[in-house]
Amino acid sequence: MLLLMCVPAIIFFVVFNYMPLPGAWIAFTNFNYRDGIFGSPFVGFKNFEFLIKSGQLWMLTRNTILYNLAFIVLGNLLQIAIAVMLNEVRLAWFKKVSQAAMFLPFFISSVLVGVIAFNLLNYDTGALNALIRQTGGDPIKIYSTAGAWPLIIILVHLWQSTGYGSIVYFAAIMGIDRSLYEAATVDGASAWQRIRYVTLPSLKPTFIILVLFSLGGIMHGNFGLFWNLVGNNAALFQTTDIIETSVYRMVLAQNNFTTSTAVGLYQSLFGFALVMTANWIVRRINKDYALF
Amino acid sequence: MKRRNVVRVGAALLAIGISMPALTAAALAQDAPTEITMLTMGNKPTNGRLEAMLEKLNELLVQKANAKLDLFYIEWADWQTQYNVQLLSGDDNVDLVATATDWLYAWENAEKGAFLPLSPEMLQANAPKTWAQVEADGHWDLTKLADGKIYFMPEDNYTQYTNHGFFYRGDWAKEAGFENGEITKFEDFTKYFEWVKANKPDAYPWDVAGANEAALTGYIQGHTDFQTIQGISAGNYTPFHTTAANPYTVTSWYMEGDALIEAAKLAKQWNDIGVWREDALNYDGDTREELYAGLSGTDQHHTQTFVNDIVNNLSTKQPGSDPKFFYWGQENGNFFKDIFTHGAMAVSAYSKHPEKALQVYDLIRNDKEIYDLFNFGIKDVDYVITADGKLGYPEGYDSSTDSLGTDYWWGRMDEFELPRTTQAPNRAEIIAKLDATAKDYPYSTLIINKQNIDPTLAAMAGVLSEYIPQLQYGKFDDPAAAVAEMRQKLKDVGYEDARASIQADMDAWKAARGL
């Protein structure tokens, strides 16, 4: 009976993840509506050529992976730090208020985040530049400065996701055997030593599993956030264009389904290889922590 | 047979005879009207006027074709992104599809099988009036692919100009030192912009948003004889051209000559002046409303918008503003008359009722009662006819909230159009002046086979979408170096191969016509 609980998830994955798989064939065709996916002329790897020719492949892969690594590493470290710190707080009301305050950004739509960012950062009327002007400084052209955006995007992502992510670690901390802490206290361990020798080692399995899950999506950026923060600003593409935003422009603005499917397929295959590699490495280090 | 029986049989036969037409009519009336859906472009109105009009329209359509019509809108915020996706989806709920060869990917979508090929017989049977008018004007050839089949019905009987240019304020231009407030050269806008910047601190000289290349194309058109080959798009760009001096040689103003560099330098100068918002690329506000609010000195669109909307709205909302229009190519006459497929109507390849869809279209296009209702709304509610025979609006009508919004640009007919009270009073004069100098687009029947160059066009789109917006908004410190870099990248992704392929199509087309 318990297995029945899996049915909705199985249906979900079959419908949304497995049934569309044959559609990837579009990437190898000169697609037309009349002949459909499997009737359109086969063109081999022609739809992939432009990616290599245009040099976009390297830039998109680099941006996507680096952003995701930053999100995963910084995100998890910050989430652990927050969970551990909150765990040490004894004032129940402060703990609750802090958690709620940090949780809240997770529910703010990316569209709204984009609007807030524009109103804060834009050159002519943005709050930041207004402040700089009033203090006699030179305003900053943030939307023309590609170098500033990795920092902005990472900060916004952390702001949005840290509160939510820390809950998982907080729950893991709650699950740690209390007797370990009591024993440590009896042995004279300080608060920092309890964290260092009890809490953090106990969080290791959770950390590794969460990182492996995140690696599964390493080729998938946070499209909504990127698109709403950067939009179609070509001046920032070098540092902000990720595979998803590029595919979006291709398939929607450029009416090009074949090449965008090619990029999507590349994204999936590369992501698959990355996950397998990461899992293989984890299994070599400690078999128990590997996903499969 | 007894006499009484004969009478009875006779009476029965008579009764059947009398009631047959009534029975037939009753049976027909019981056939539910066919629901036809038209995909159109525009923002669906929410003021209830569209629904009220459709209710009356559908009564007429049921009477005349036993059909009902509904509209499916692709909104302006999404048109460049959602239109093709909607066609790709193969939605069989859509029957009629608004299209155009120069801005709505008609040829691409026809080649990809989104539209139903229309045979002359099918058109003659279901859209006889449309067939006869287009045939009489000899325009069906403009709607055929290489397979010789008709793919859409052109809006070939409606006079308009959709040549782009700047709308600006004559009152400000006059104060800036232009005689009669008239600006006649593209570069002269620098002086106008500088004046607005210095004298109207609340206004941007040209409030412009998002992807735009008007600062480049406007300059190039007025300073060269480049002419764009329509229907070969690389993303939002049409990167292949010819020149008037060499009309059968395919080239590109993105690749050849110094005009793009000069235009980009001027754009940089404008950016340094502060003509537009520093972050125009990320701004998505309604810049036309800014113009109407007196917060922008310039807007950019075409003649039709100027005569139909700008003159009236700007004059009303900014009294004394003296709206003016400067169009690209005004200096050297390098601009074109509208092509007959700037608006057109196709039948979806997935339509379940293609014949009925054609019948409905034929009525909308040619039946005056239905045409008036569909285009202008309910008489005395949505519009009035003035004493001097113009189409006007009732007391208290506000076009920004009360418009009908059917946005029918896919088969308008000159004979049913009335001059409007809200149109520029000198519309006829403007059209006549343009008619006197505009060129005919020479490549209306040239269809490019893009099958082999699609990946190259995708790659070119990637390069152009990176460089052109930045050149347009003067974001490169060294525009000449940026253009050189862009040209090299376009070459790297296969520009020459694509050009050669298009040249081959051009050569074949030219030879077939003995040009």
Side-chain angles (χ1 to χ4, degrees):
Chain A
M1 279 305 284
L2 276 177
L3 284 176
L4 279 177
M5 289 170 68
C6 299
V7 171
I10 291 169
I11 293 173
F12 176 87
F13 280 106
V14 168
V15 172
F16 293 105
N17 291 55
Y18 290 98
M19 281 171 61
L21 270 179
W25 185 250
I26 287 180
F28 303 98
T29 66
N30 188 353
F31 177 73
N32 65 66
Y33 311 152
R34 195 183 301 111
D35 299 325
I37 296 173
F38 301 106
S40 297
F42 176 75
V43 293
F45 284 93
K46 200 171 169 56
N47 294 322
F48 293 82
E49 276 174 21
F50 85 98
L51 266 176
I52 298 155
K53 273 187 188 170
S54 65
Q56 280 184 302
L57 191 65
W58 160 239
M59 184 192 81
L60 295 174
T61 308
R62 179 200 67 193
N63 287 354
T64 308
I65 289 181
L66 285 182
Y67 273 112
N68 272 297
L69 279 179
F71 293 165
I72 293 168
V73 174
L74 294 175
N76 277 288
L77 290 181
L78 208 58
Q79 286 159 18
I80 290 171
I82 299 276
V84 168
M85 282 193 287
L86 281 181
N87 186 49
E88 294 300 317
V89 173
R90 294 288 159 250
L91 285 171
W93 68 266
F94 180 80
K95 203 187 280 189
K96 283 201 165 78
V97 169
S98 316
Q99 273 184 325
M102 282 189 292
F103 208 72
L104 208 59
F106 184 75
F107 296 104
I108 298 177
S109 134
S110 295
V111 177
L112 197 56
V113 172
V115 173
I116 294 169
F118 187 73
N119 283 301
L120 281 176
L121 304 176
N122 87 72
Y123 182 86
D124 300 78
T125 54
L128 180 68
N129 277 323
L131 195 69
I132 292 174
R133 279 192 193 95
Q134 278 177 0
T135 51
D138 288 330
I140 318 164
K141 294 178 178 176
I142 299 172
Y143 280 93
S144 315
T145 311
W149 284 87
L151 182 67
I152 296 168
I153 289 171
I154 290 168
L155 280 178
V156 174
H157 178 86
L158 293 178
W159 170 72
Q160 272 207 300
S161 62
T162 303
Y164 181 82
S166 68
I167 299 293
V168 179
Y169 285 108
F170 200 67
I173 291 171
M174 291 292 107
I176 298 171
D177 189 350
R178 291 290 113 188
S179 62
L180 289 173
Y181 287 105
E182 284 162 22
T185 311
V186 169
D187 287 347
S190 65
W192 169 243
Q193 282 169 324
R194 286 198 301 274
I195 293 170
R196 168 83 176 75
Y197 296 107
V198 180
T199 311
L200 292 181
S202 304
L203 288 179
K204 206 163 108 183
T206 312
F207 172 75
I208 290 177
I209 286 173
L210 285 181
V211 167
L212 276 176
F213 274 142
S214 310
L215 282 176
I218 196 165
M219 291 297 280
H220 294 268
N222 183 345
F223 170 78
L225 182 69
F226 279 75
W227 188 257
N228 285 294
L229 278 179
V230 179
N232 230 344
N233 188 338
L236 309 179
F237 283 171
Q238 275 302 319
T239 58
T240 61
D241 213 13
I242 56 171
I243 293 177
E244 259 110 343
T245 48
S246 172
V247 168
Y248 181 79
R249 281 203 312 277
M250 255 181 254
V251 74
L252 295 175
Q254 298 168 14
N255 189 23
N256 206 317
F257 305 108
T258 51
T259 46
S260 50
T261 311
V263 183
L265 189 60
Y266 159 76
Q267 178 185 28
S268 301
L269 290 176
F270 197 87
F272 176 72
L274 270 179
V275 175
M276 294 302 284
T277 311
N279 191 66
W280 179 78
I281 292 169
V282 172
R283 206 171 53 215
R284 295 273 299 198
I285 298 166
N286 187 337
K287 214 162 57 175
D288 292 340
Y289 293 154
L291 282 177
F292 45 86
Chain B
M1 193 182 285
K2 289 181 180 175
R3 191 176 168 192
R4 190 185 294 172
N5 287 346
V6 171
V7 171
R8 279 178 184 164
V9 170
L13 286 172
L14 187 66
I16 291 169
I18 289 168
S19 58
M20 272 310 279
L23 283 172
T24 313
L28 275 176
Q30 279 166 5
D31 278 350
T34 310
E35 305 271 353
I36 297 296
T37 301
M38 178 193 291
L39 184 154
T40 192
M41 312 293 292
N43 297 338
K44 186 171 185 175
T46 53
N47 54 19
R49 289 172 183 258
L50 176 74
E51 288 75 10
M53 178 280 290
L54 280 176
E55 204 178 317
K56 285 193 178 294
L57 181 93
N58 282 331
E59 283 170 18
L60 289 174
L61 286 176
V62 168
Q63 281 173 29
K64 297 186 180 191
N66 198 30
K68 285 186 171 182
L69 179 71
D70 194 16
L71 297 180
F72 177 87
Y73 284 82
I74 302 279
E75 303 244 336
W76 285 129
D78 307 319
W79 75 272
Q80 283 176 318
T81 57
Q82 291 301 309
Y83 179 78
N84 290 307
V85 173
Q86 175 60 32
L87 296 188
L88 172 75
S89 73
D91 184 356
D92 60 8
N93 289 315
V94 169
D95 303 285
L96 291 165
V97 182
T99 190
T101 57
D102 53 348
W103 67 286
L104 276 179
Y105 319 98
W107 291 129
E108 287 175 40
N109 284 315
E111 280 172 348
K112 286 179 179 172
F115 302 149
L116 187 76
L118 306 169
S119 67
E121 295 74 26
M122 192 182 180
L123 284 161
Q124 283 157 13
N126 297 290
K129 288 188 173 170
T130 305
W131 167 266
Q133 177 255 301
V134 180
E135 174 76 351
D137 293 336
H139 291 158
W140 284 118
D141 281 347
L142 305 176
T143 68
K144 292 176 183 171
L145 278 181
D147 60 10
K149 291 176 181 166
I150 294 166
Y151 281 89
F152 35 80
M153 296 159 280
E155 186 180 73
D156 64 335
N157 203 17
Y158 178 72
T159 307
Q160 66 172 346
Y161 269 87
T162 54
N163 57 327
H164 281 241
F166 279 143
F167 312 138
Y168 62 98
R169 295 183 57 151
D171 57 341
W172 290 2
K174 202 169 181 177
E175 286 190 57
F178 291 95
E179 198 182 338
N180 300 323
E182 297 270 0
I183 303 175
T184 52
K185 281 185 183 164
F186 193 85
E187 301 95 310
D188 285 351
F189 274 90
T190 307
K191 185 176 160 188
Y192 173 73
F193 290 151
E194 280 173 335
W195 183 91
V196 176
K197 190 76 188 169
N199 295 282
K200 300 288 171 190
D202 292 337
Y204 288 98
W206 175 20
D207 198 9
V208 55
N212 195 303
E213 56 170 336
L216 307 178
T217 50
Y219 180 92
I220 292 168
Q221 217 173 308
H223 291 78
T224 68
D225 63 346
F226 277 117
Q227 40 197 24
T228 302
I229 304 175
Q230 291 162 358
I232 324 165
S233 57
N236 294 328
Y237 304 94
T238 41
F240 291 97
H241 308 92
T242 60
T243 59
N246 213 346
Y248 305 114
T249 302
V250 179
T251 179
S252 173
W253 71 39
Y254 294 110
M255 296 300 290
E256 306 295 337
D258 293 332
L260 180 64
I261 298 168
E262 288 158 14
K265 283 180 179 168
L266 184 63
K268 182 171 170 14
Q269 189 188 346
W270 287 0
N271 183 58
D272 293 344
I273 293 169
V275 166
W276 40 68
R277 291 163 197 266
E278 174 61 33
D279 299 325
L281 273 166
N282 279 78
Y283 181 65
D284 59 1
D286 188 338
T287 52
R288 182 145 315 147
E289 283 303 321
E290 300 285 301
L291 176 78
Y292 292 155
L295 299 174
S296 175
T298 314
D299 188 19
Q300 186 278 128
H301 206 238
H302 52 53
T303 303
Q304 181 79 349
T305 305
F306 180 71
V307 295
N308 279 357
D309 301 325
I310 300 293
V311 170
N312 182 258
N313 281 321
L314 187 56
S315 306
T316 311
K317 293 175 182 177
Q318 296 292 323
S321 55
D322 187 20
K324 297 268 193 241
F325 183 51
F326 169 86
Y327 51 90
W328 315 148
Q330 184 171 314
E331 304 98 317
N332 58 358
N334 186 20
F335 69 102
F336 293 89
K337 288 179 185 164
D338 256 38
I339 56 169
F340 294 125
T341 49
H342 181 70
M345 185 64 81
V347 175
S348 167
Y350 307 103
S351 170
K352 285 181 277 194
H353 316 287
E355 288 86 5
K356 193 62 84 179
L358 284 173
Q359 290 165 28
V360 168
Y361 176 73
D362 206 38
L363 285 168
I364 291 174
R365 179 172 168 135
N366 301 294
D367 182 301
K368 181 160 175 24
E369 189 181 11
I370 288 180
Y371 185 97
D372 286 354
L373 200 51
F374 192 60
N375 283 283
F376 313 136
I378 300 169
K379 197 176 172 206
D380 297 329
V381 175
D382 294 309
Y383 73 98
V384 294
I385 302 293
T386 60
D388 58 352
K390 285 184 178 169
L391 190 144
Y393 296 96
E395 191 77 24
Y397 180 92
D398 180 348
S399 64
S400 59
T401 53
D402 297 336
S403 66
L404 182 68
T406 37
D407 293 350
Y408 180 66
W409 309 309
W410 329 107
R412 285 166 294 182
M413 302 287 278
D414 275 339
E415 63 191 280
F416 297 145
E417 291 289 327
L418 289 171
R420 302 182 191 202
T421 54
T422 50
Q423 275 171 338
N426 60 341
R427 178 180 181 273
E429 191 190 316
I430 291 171
I431 299 282
K433 198 174 155 195
L434 292 171
D435 265 339
T437 40
K439 300 189 282 185
D440 281 321
Y441 179 65
Y443 312 114
S444 285
T445 54
L446 170 66
I447 296 167
I448 303 298
N449 179 1
K450 292 200 289 293
Q451 283 206 342
N452 294 325
I453 57 173
D454 253 346
T456 306
L457 291 174
M460 288 176 66
V463 177
L464 292 168
S465 67
E466 183 185 346
Y467 282 88
I468 296 300
Q470 295 191 76
L471 290 169
Q472 143 78 29
Y473 288 113
K475 297 298 181 192
F476 288 112
D477 290 333
D478 183 350
V483 169
E485 201 176 285
M486 179 187 84
R487 286 177 170 172
Q488 187 55 49
K489 281 194 183 177
L490 286 170
K491 271 188 187 157
D492 292 345
V493 299
Y495 161 76
E496 271 305 335
D497 295 341
R499 198 200 63 78
S501 172
I502 296 164
Q503 184 65 61
D505 289 334
M506 174 73 88
D507 292 343
W509 174 82
K510 178 176 171 255
R513 278 155 189 78
L515 297 166

